[in-house]
Amino acid sequence: ARAARSYTGSATAGDARAHQFLTELGSGVLVEPTVRAYRTPERAGVVVEGRAQQLVPGLSMVLQVHRAAEGPVERFRGDLGP
């Protein structure tokens, strides 16, 4: 979310950073991940969803994973005076 929230950031930058993190994490942790990044004038964030890798062979339990990170968009504010 920091890539989307930063002063020079964008939703595209947030999306790219989330995909980079998923690549570094590897394919054995989160199955079929999806990423949604957004940025409004006030808030920016990233949502990652997918399925957790099956931990116990033969157990047909599917664990859905949903994680979101969000915060205010950084803005430069000049000196407001005394």
Coordinates of all heavy atoms in Angstrom, one line a residue:
A1 N 0.8 -1.2 0.0 CA 0.0 0.0 0.0 C 0.9 1.3 0.0 O 0.4 2.3 -0.5 CB -0.9 0.0 1.2
R2 N 2.1 1.1 0.5 CA 3.0 2.3 0.5 C 3.2 2.9 -0.9 O 3.3 4.1 -1.0 CB 4.3 2.0 1.2 CG 4.2 2.1 2.7 CD 5.5 1.9 3.4 NE 5.5 0.5 3.9 CZ 6.5 -0.2 4.2 NH1 7.7 0.3 4.1 NH2 6.4 -1.4 4.7
A3 N 3.4 2.0 -1.8 CA 3.7 2.4 -3.2 C 2.5 3.2 -3.8 O 2.7 4.1 -4.6 CB 4.0 1.2 -4.1
A4 N 1.3 2.8 -3.3 CA 0.1 3.6 -3.8 C -0.1 4.8 -3.0 O -0.7 5.8 -3.5 CB -1.2 2.7 -3.7
R5 N 0.3 4.9 -1.7 CA 0.0 6.0 -0.8 C 1.0 7.1 -1.0 O 0.7 8.3 -0.6 CB 0.1 5.5 0.6 CG -1.1 4.7 1.0 CD -0.9 4.3 2.5 NE -0.7 5.5 3.3 CZ 0.2 5.6 4.3 NH1 1.0 4.6 4.6 NH2 0.3 6.7 5.0
S6 N 2.2 6.8 -1.4 CA 3.3 7.8 -1.4 C 2.9 9.0 -2.3 O 2.1 9.0 -3.2 CB 4.6 7.2 -1.9 OG 4.6 7.0 -3.3
Y7 N 3.6 10.1 -2.0 CA 3.4 11.4 -2.7 C 3.4 11.2 -4.2 O 2.5 11.8 -4.9 CB 4.4 12.4 -2.3 CG 4.2 13.8 -2.9 CD1 3.1 14.6 -2.6 CD2 5.2 14.3 -3.8 CE1 2.9 15.8 -3.2 CE2 5.0 15.5 -4.4 CZ 3.9 16.3 -4.1 OH 3.7 17.5 -4.6
T8 N 4.3 10.4 -4.7 CA 4.4 10.2 -6.2 C 3.8 8.9 -6.6 O 4.0 8.4 -7.7 CB 5.9 10.3 -6.6 OG1 6.6 9.2 -5.9 CG2 6.5 11.6 -6.4
G9 N 3.1 8.2 -5.7 CA 2.6 6.9 -5.9 C 1.3 6.9 -6.8 O 0.8 7.9 -7.2
S10 N 0.9 5.7 -7.1 CA -0.3 5.5 -7.9 C -0.9 4.1 -7.6 O -0.2 3.2 -7.0 CB 0.0 5.6 -9.4 OG 0.8 4.5 -9.8
A11 N -2.1 3.9 -8.0 CA -2.7 2.6 -7.9 C -1.9 1.5 -8.7 O -1.7 0.4 -8.3 CB -4.2 2.6 -8.4
T12 N -1.4 2.0 -9.9 CA -0.6 1.1 -10.7 C 0.7 0.7 -10.0 O 1.1 -0.5 -10.0 CB -0.2 1.8 -12.0 OG1 -1.4 2.1 -12.7 CG2 0.6 0.9 -12.9
A13 N 1.3 1.6 -9.3 CA 2.5 1.3 -8.5 C 2.2 0.3 -7.3 O 3.0 -0.6 -7.1 CB 3.2 2.6 -7.9
G14 N 1.1 0.5 -6.7 CA 0.6 -0.4 -5.6 C 0.4 -1.8 -6.2 O 0.8 -2.8 -5.5
D15 N -0.3 -1.9 -7.3 CA -0.5 -3.2 -7.9 C 0.8 -3.9 -8.3 O 1.0 -5.1 -8.0 CB -1.4 -2.9 -9.2 CG -1.8 -4.2 -9.9 OD1 -2.8 -4.8 -9.5 OD2 -1.0 -4.7 -10.8
A16 N 1.7 -3.1 -8.9 CA 3.0 -3.7 -9.3 C 3.8 -4.2 -8.1 O 4.4 -5.3 -8.1 CB 3.8 -2.7 -10.1
R17 N 3.8 -3.5 -7.0 CA 4.5 -3.9 -5.8 C 3.9 -5.1 -5.2 O 4.6 -6.0 -4.7 CB 4.6 -2.7 -4.8 CG 5.3 -3.1 -3.5 CD 6.8 -3.4 -3.8 NE 7.4 -3.9 -2.6 CZ 7.8 -5.1 -2.4 NH1 7.6 -6.1 -3.4 NH2 8.4 -5.5 -1.3
A18 N 2.6 -5.2 -5.2 CA 1.9 -6.4 -4.6 C 2.2 -7.6 -5.5 O 2.5 -8.7 -4.9 CB 0.4 -6.2 -4.6
H19 N 2.2 -7.5 -6.8 CA 2.6 -8.6 -7.7 C 4.0 -9.0 -7.5 O 4.4 -10.2 -7.5 CB 2.3 -8.3 -9.1 CG 0.9 -8.5 -9.5 ND1 -0.1 -7.5 -9.5 CD2 0.2 -9.6 -9.8 CE1 -1.2 -8.0 -9.9 NE2 -1.1 -9.3 -10.1
Q20 N 4.9 -8.0 -7.3 CA 6.3 -8.3 -7.0 C 6.5 -9.1 -5.7 O 7.2 -10.1 -5.7 CB 7.1 -7.0 -6.9 CG 8.6 -7.3 -6.6 CD 9.4 -5.9 -6.4 OE1 8.8 -4.9 -6.6 NE2 10.6 -6.1 -6.1
F21 N 5.7 -8.7 -4.7 CA 5.8 -9.4 -3.4 C 5.3 -10.9 -3.6 O 5.9 -11.8 -3.0 CB 5.0 -8.7 -2.4 CG 4.9 -9.4 -1.0 CD1 6.0 -9.4 -0.2 CD2 3.8 -10.2 -0.7 CE1 5.9 -10.0 1.0 CE2 3.7 -10.9 0.5 CZ 4.8 -10.8 1.4
L22 N 4.2 -11.0 -4.3 CA 3.7 -12.4 -4.5 C 4.7 -13.3 -5.3 O 4.8 -14.4 -5.0 CB 2.3 -12.3 -5.3 CG 1.1 -11.8 -4.4 CD1 0.0 -11.5 -5.4 CD2 0.8 -12.8 -3.3
T23 N 5.4 -12.7 -6.2 CA 6.4 -13.4 -7.0 C 7.5 -13.8 -6.0 O 8.0 -15.0 -6.1 CB 7.0 -12.6 -8.1 OG1 5.9 -12.3 -9.0 CG2 8.1 -13.3 -8.9
E24 N 8.0 -12.9 -5.1 CA 9.0 -13.2 -4.2 C 8.5 -14.3 -3.2 O 9.3 -15.1 -2.8 CB 9.4 -12.0 -3.4 CG 10.1 -11.0 -4.3 CD 10.3 -9.6 -3.7 OE1 9.9 -9.4 -2.5 OE2 10.8 -8.7 -4.3
L25 N 7.3 -14.3 -2.8 CA 6.7 -15.2 -1.9 C 6.7 -16.6 -2.5 O 6.9 -17.6 -1.8 CB 5.3 -14.8 -1.5 CG 4.6 -15.5 -0.4 CD1 5.3 -15.4 0.9 CD2 3.1 -15.0 -0.3
G26 N 6.5 -16.7 -3.8 CA 6.5 -18.0 -4.4 C 5.1 -18.6 -4.6 O 4.1 -18.1 -4.0
S27 N 5.0 -19.6 -5.5 CA 3.7 -20.1 -5.9 C 3.1 -21.1 -4.9 O 2.0 -21.5 -5.0 CB 3.7 -20.7 -7.3 OG 4.7 -21.8 -7.3
G28 N 3.9 -21.5 -3.9 CA 3.4 -22.6 -3.0 C 2.6 -22.1 -1.8 O 2.2 -22.9 -1.0
V29 N 2.4 -20.8 -1.7 CA 1.7 -20.3 -0.5 C 0.3 -19.8 -0.8 O -0.7 -20.3 -0.1 CB 2.5 -19.1 0.1 CG1 1.8 -18.5 1.3 CG2 3.9 -19.5 0.4
L30 N 0.1 -19.0 -1.8 CA -1.2 -18.5 -2.1 C -1.6 -19.0 -3.6 O -0.9 -18.7 -4.5 CB -1.2 -17.0 -2.0 CG -2.6 -16.3 -2.0 CD1 -3.4 -16.8 -0.8 CD2 -2.4 -14.8 -1.9
V31 N -2.7 -19.7 -3.7 CA -3.2 -20.2 -5.0 C -4.1 -19.2 -5.6 O -5.0 -18.7 -5.0 CB -3.9 -21.5 -4.8 CG1 -4.4 -22.1 -6.1 CG2 -3.0 -22.5 -4.0
E32 N -3.9 -19.0 -6.9 CA -4.7 -18.1 -7.7 C -4.9 -16.7 -7.1 O -6.1 -16.3 -6.8 CB -6.0 -18.7 -8.1 CG -5.9 -20.0 -8.9 CD -7.2 -20.6 -9.2 OE1 -8.3 -20.1 -8.8 OE2 -7.2 -21.7 -9.9
P33 N -3.8 -16.0 -6.7 CA -4.0 -14.7 -6.1 C -4.5 -13.6 -7.0 O -4.3 -13.7 -8.2 CB -2.6 -14.3 -5.6 CG -1.7 -15.1 -6.6 CD -2.4 -16.3 -6.9
T34 N -5.3 -12.7 -6.5 CA -5.8 -11.6 -7.2 C -5.4 -10.3 -6.4 O -5.3 -10.3 -5.2 CB -7.3 -11.6 -7.4 OG1 -8.0 -11.5 -6.2 CG2 -7.7 -12.8 -8.2
V35 N -5.1 -9.3 -7.1 CA -4.7 -8.0 -6.5 C -5.6 -6.9 -7.0 O -5.9 -6.8 -8.2 CB -3.2 -7.7 -6.9 CG1 -2.8 -6.3 -6.4 CG2 -2.3 -8.8 -6.3
R36 N -6.0 -6.0 -6.1 CA -6.8 -4.9 -6.5 C -6.2 -3.7 -5.8 O -6.2 -3.7 -4.5 CB -8.3 -5.0 -6.2 CG -9.1 -3.8 -6.6 CD -10.6 -4.0 -6.3 NE -10.9 -4.3 -4.9 CZ -11.1 -3.3 -4.0 NH1 -11.1 -2.1 -4.3 NH2 -11.4 -3.7 -2.7
A37 N -5.7 -2.7 -6.5 CA -5.1 -1.5 -5.9 C -6.0 -0.3 -6.3 O -6.6 -0.3 -7.4 CB -3.7 -1.3 -6.4
Y38 N -6.1 0.6 -5.4 CA -6.9 1.8 -5.6 C -6.3 3.0 -5.0 O -5.4 2.9 -4.1 CB -8.3 1.6 -5.1 CG -8.4 1.3 -3.6 CD1 -8.5 2.4 -2.7 CD2 -8.2 0.0 -3.1 CE1 -8.5 2.1 -1.3 CE2 -8.2 -0.2 -1.8 CZ -8.4 0.8 -0.9 OH -8.4 0.6 0.5
R39 N -6.6 4.2 -5.5 CA -6.2 5.5 -5.0 C -7.2 6.5 -5.3 O -7.6 6.7 -6.4 CB -4.8 5.9 -5.6 CG -4.3 7.2 -5.0 CD -2.9 7.5 -5.6 NE -2.5 8.8 -5.3 CZ -1.4 9.2 -4.7 NH1 -0.6 8.2 -4.3 NH2 -1.1 10.4 -4.5
T40 N -7.7 7.2 -4.2 CA -8.6 8.3 -4.3 C -7.8 9.5 -3.9 O -6.7 9.4 -3.5 CB -9.8 8.1 -3.4 OG1 -9.4 8.2 -2.1 CG2 -10.5 6.7 -3.7
P41 N -8.4 10.7 -4.0 CA -7.7 11.9 -3.5 C -7.3 11.8 -2.0 O -6.3 12.4 -1.6 CB -8.7 13.0 -3.8 CG -9.5 12.5 -4.9 CD -9.6 11.1 -4.7
E42 N -8.0 11.0 -1.2 CA -7.7 10.9 0.2 C -7.1 9.6 0.7 O -6.3 9.7 1.7 CB -9.1 11.1 1.0 CG -9.7 12.5 0.7 CD -8.9 13.7 1.2 OE1 -8.3 13.5 2.2 OE2 -8.9 14.7 0.5
R43 N -7.4 8.5 0.1 CA -7.0 7.2 0.6 C -6.4 6.3 -0.6 O -6.8 6.5 -1.7 CB -8.2 6.4 1.2 CG -9.0 7.1 2.2 CD -8.6 7.2 3.6 NE -8.3 5.9 4.2 CZ -7.6 5.8 5.3 NH1 -7.1 6.9 5.9 NH2 -7.3 4.7 5.9
A44 N -5.6 5.4 -0.2 CA -5.0 4.5 -1.2 C -4.8 3.2 -0.5 O -4.5 3.1 0.7 CB -3.7 5.0 -1.8
G45 N -4.9 2.1 -1.2 CA -4.7 0.8 -0.6 C -4.6 -0.3 -1.7 O -4.7 -0.1 -2.9
V46 N -4.3 -1.5 -1.1 CA -4.2 -2.7 -1.9 C -4.9 -3.9 -1.2 O -4.8 -4.0 0.0 CB -2.7 -3.1 -2.2 CG1 -2.6 -4.4 -3.0 CG2 -1.9 -2.0 -2.8
V47 N -5.7 -4.6 -2.0 CA -6.4 -5.8 -1.5 C -5.8 -7.0 -2.2 O -5.8 -7.0 -3.5 CB -7.9 -5.7 -1.7 CG1 -8.6 -6.9 -1.2 CG2 -8.4 -4.5 -1.0
V48 N -5.4 -8.1 -1.5 CA -4.9 -9.3 -2.1 C -5.8 -10.4 -1.6 O -6.1 -10.5 -0.4 CB -3.5 -9.6 -1.7 CG1 -3.0 -10.9 -2.2 CG2 -2.6 -8.5 -2.1
E49 N -6.3 -11.3 -2.5 CA -7.2 -12.4 -2.2 C -6.6 -13.6 -2.9 O -6.0 -13.5 -3.9 CB -8.6 -12.1 -2.6 CG -9.2 -11.0 -1.9 CD -10.6 -10.7 -2.3 OE1 -10.9 -10.6 -3.5 OE2 -11.5 -10.6 -1.4
G50 N -7.0 -14.8 -2.4 CA -6.6 -16.0 -3.0 C -7.0 -17.2 -2.1 O -7.8 -17.0 -1.1
R51 N -6.5 -18.4 -2.4 CA -6.7 -19.5 -1.5 C -5.4 -20.0 -0.9 O -4.4 -20.0 -1.6 CB -7.3 -20.7 -2.4 CG -8.7 -20.4 -2.9 CD -9.3 -21.6 -3.5 NE -8.4 -22.6 -4.1 CZ -8.0 -22.7 -5.4 NH1 -8.5 -21.8 -6.2 NH2 -7.2 -23.6 -5.8
A52 N -5.5 -20.4 0.3 CA -4.3 -20.9 1.0 C -3.9 -22.3 0.4 O -4.8 -23.0 0.1 CB -4.5 -21.0 2.5
Q53 N -2.6 -22.5 0.3 CA -2.2 -23.8 -0.2 C -2.7 -24.9 0.8 O -2.8 -24.7 2.0 CB -0.7 -23.9 -0.2 CG -0.1 -25.1 -0.8 CD -0.2 -25.2 -2.3 OE1 -1.3 -25.1 -2.8 NE2 0.8 -25.6 -3.0
Q54 N -3.1 -26.1 0.2 CA -3.6 -27.2 1.0 C -2.5 -27.7 2.0 O -1.4 -28.0 1.5 CB -4.1 -28.3 0.1 CG -4.8 -29.4 0.9 CD -5.3 -30.4 -0.1 OE1 -5.0 -30.4 -1.3 NE2 -6.1 -31.3 0.4
L55 N -2.8 -27.7 3.3 CA -1.8 -28.1 4.2 C -1.8 -29.6 4.5 O -0.8 -30.2 4.8 CB -2.0 -27.3 5.5 CG -1.8 -25.8 5.4 CD1 -2.1 -25.1 6.7 CD2 -0.4 -25.4 5.0
V56 N -3.0 -30.2 4.5 CA -3.2 -31.6 4.9 C -3.7 -32.3 3.6 O -4.8 -32.1 3.2 CB -4.1 -31.8 6.0 CG1 -4.3 -33.3 6.4 CG2 -3.7 -31.0 7.3
P57 N -2.8 -33.2 3.0 CA -3.3 -33.9 1.8 C -4.6 -34.7 2.1 O -4.7 -35.3 3.1 CB -2.1 -34.8 1.5 CG -0.9 -34.2 2.1 CD -1.5 -33.5 3.4
G58 N -5.5 -34.7 1.2 CA -6.7 -35.4 1.3 C -7.8 -34.6 2.0 O -9.0 -35.0 2.0
L59 N -7.5 -33.6 2.8 CA -8.5 -32.8 3.4 C -9.0 -31.7 2.4 O -8.2 -30.9 2.0 CB -7.9 -32.1 4.7 CG -8.8 -31.3 5.5 CD1 -9.9 -32.2 6.1 CD2 -8.1 -30.6 6.7
S60 N -10.3 -31.8 2.1 CA -10.8 -30.9 1.1 C -11.2 -29.5 1.6 O -12.0 -28.9 1.0 CB -12.0 -31.6 0.4 OG -13.0 -31.8 1.3
M61 N -10.7 -29.1 2.7 CA -11.0 -27.8 3.2 C -10.2 -26.7 2.5 O -9.0 -26.8 2.3 CB -10.6 -27.7 4.7 CG -11.1 -26.4 5.4 SD -10.9 -26.5 7.2 CE -9.2 -26.6 7.4
V62 N -11.0 -25.7 2.0 CA -10.4 -24.6 1.2 C -10.4 -23.3 2.1 O -11.5 -22.9 2.5 CB -11.1 -24.3 -0.1 CG1 -10.5 -23.1 -0.8 CG2 -11.0 -25.6 -1.0
L63 N -9.3 -22.7 2.3 CA -9.2 -21.5 3.1 C -9.0 -20.3 2.2 O -8.0 -20.2 1.5 CB -8.0 -21.6 4.1 CG -8.1 -22.7 5.2 CD1 -6.8 -22.7 6.0 CD2 -9.3 -22.5 6.0
Q64 N -10.0 -19.5 2.2 CA -10.0 -18.2 1.4 C -9.1 -17.2 2.2 O -9.3 -17.1 3.4 CB -11.3 -17.7 1.2 CG -12.2 -18.5 0.2 CD -11.6 -18.6 -1.2 OE1 -11.2 -19.6 -1.6 NE2 -11.6 -17.5 -1.8
V65 N -8.3 -16.5 1.5 CA -7.4 -15.5 2.2 C -7.8 -14.1 1.6 O -8.0 -14.0 0.4 CB -5.9 -15.8 1.9 CG1 -5.1 -14.7 2.4 CG2 -5.5 -17.1 2.4
H66 N -8.0 -13.2 2.5 CA -8.3 -11.8 2.1 C -7.5 -10.9 3.0 O -7.6 -10.9 4.2 CB -9.8 -11.5 2.3 CG -10.2 -10.1 2.1 ND1 -10.7 -9.6 0.9 CD2 -10.2 -9.0 3.0 CE1 -10.9 -8.3 1.0 NE2 -10.6 -7.9 2.3
R67 N -6.7 -10.1 2.4 CA -5.9 -9.1 3.2 C -5.9 -7.8 2.5 O -5.7 -7.7 1.3 CB -4.4 -9.7 3.3 CG -3.6 -9.0 4.3 CD -4.2 -9.5 5.7 NE -3.5 -8.9 6.8 CZ -4.1 -8.5 7.9 NH1 -5.4 -8.6 8.0 NH2 -3.4 -8.0 8.8
A68 N -6.1 -6.7 3.3 CA -6.1 -5.4 2.8 C -5.2 -4.5 3.6 O -5.1 -4.7 4.8 CB -7.5 -4.8 2.8
A69 N -4.5 -3.6 2.9 CA -3.7 -2.5 3.6 C -4.1 -1.2 3.0 O -4.2 -1.1 1.8 CB -2.3 -2.8 3.4
E70 N -4.3 -0.2 3.8 CA -4.8 1.1 3.3 C -4.3 2.2 4.2 O -4.0 2.0 5.4 CB -6.4 1.1 3.3 CG -7.0 2.4 3.3 CD -8.5 2.3 3.4 OE1 -9.1 2.1 2.3 OE2 -9.1 2.6 4.4
G71 N -4.3 3.4 3.7 CA -3.9 4.5 4.5 C -4.1 5.8 3.7 O -4.5 5.8 2.6
P72 N -3.9 7.0 4.4 CA -4.1 8.3 3.7 C -3.0 8.5 2.7 O -1.9 8.0 2.8 CB -4.0 9.3 4.9 CG -3.1 8.6 5.9 CD -3.5 7.1 5.8
V73 N -3.4 9.2 1.6 CA -2.4 9.6 0.6 C -1.5 10.7 1.1 O -2.0 11.6 1.8 CB -3.2 10.1 -0.7 CG1 -2.3 10.7 -1.7 CG2 -4.0 9.0 -1.3
E74 N -0.2 10.5 0.9 CA 0.7 11.5 1.3 C 0.6 12.7 0.5 O 0.4 12.7 -0.7 CB 2.1 11.0 1.2 CG 2.5 9.8 2.1 CD 3.9 9.3 1.9 OE1 4.6 9.8 1.0 OE2 4.3 8.4 2.7
R75 N 0.6 13.9 1.2 CA 0.5 15.2 0.5 C 1.6 16.1 1.0 O 1.9 16.1 2.1 CB -0.8 15.8 0.7 CG -1.9 15.1 0.1 CD -3.2 16.0 0.2 NE -4.2 15.1 0.8 CZ -5.4 15.6 1.1 NH1 -5.7 16.8 0.9 NH2 -6.3 14.8 1.6
F76 N 2.1 16.9 0.1 CA 3.1 18.0 0.5 C 2.3 19.2 0.9 O 1.4 19.6 0.1 CB 4.0 18.3 -0.7 CG 4.9 19.4 -0.3 CD1 6.0 19.3 0.5 CD2 4.7 20.7 -0.9 CE1 6.8 20.3 0.9 CE2 5.5 21.7 -0.6 CZ 6.6 21.6 0.3
R77 N 2.6 19.7 2.0 CA 1.9 20.9 2.5 C 3.0 21.9 2.8 O 3.9 21.6 3.6 CB 1.1 20.7 3.7 CG -0.1 19.8 3.4 CD -1.0 19.6 4.6 NE -2.0 18.6 4.3 CZ -3.2 18.6 4.7 NH1 -3.6 19.5 5.6 NH2 -4.1 17.7 4.4
G78 N 3.0 23.0 2.2 CA 4.0 24.1 2.4 C 3.9 24.6 3.8 O 2.9 24.3 4.6
D79 N 4.8 25.5 4.2 CA 4.8 26.1 5.4 C 3.5 27.0 5.6 O 3.2 27.8 4.7 CB 6.0 27.0 5.6 CG 6.2 27.6 6.9 OD1 5.4 27.3 7.8 OD2 7.1 28.5 7.1
L80 N 2.8 26.7 6.6 CA 1.5 27.5 6.8 C 1.7 28.8 7.6 O 0.8 29.4 7.9 CB 0.5 26.5 7.5 CG 0.2 25.3 6.8 CD1 -0.8 24.4 7.6 CD2 -0.5 25.6 5.4
G81 N 3.0 29.1 7.9 CA 3.2 30.3 8.6 C 3.2 30.1 10.2 O 3.0 29.0 10.6
P82 N 3.4 31.2 10.9 CA 3.4 31.1 12.4 C 2.1 30.6 13.0 O 1.0 30.8 12.6 CB 3.8 32.5 12.8 CG 3.7 33.4 11.7 CD 3.6 32.5 10.4

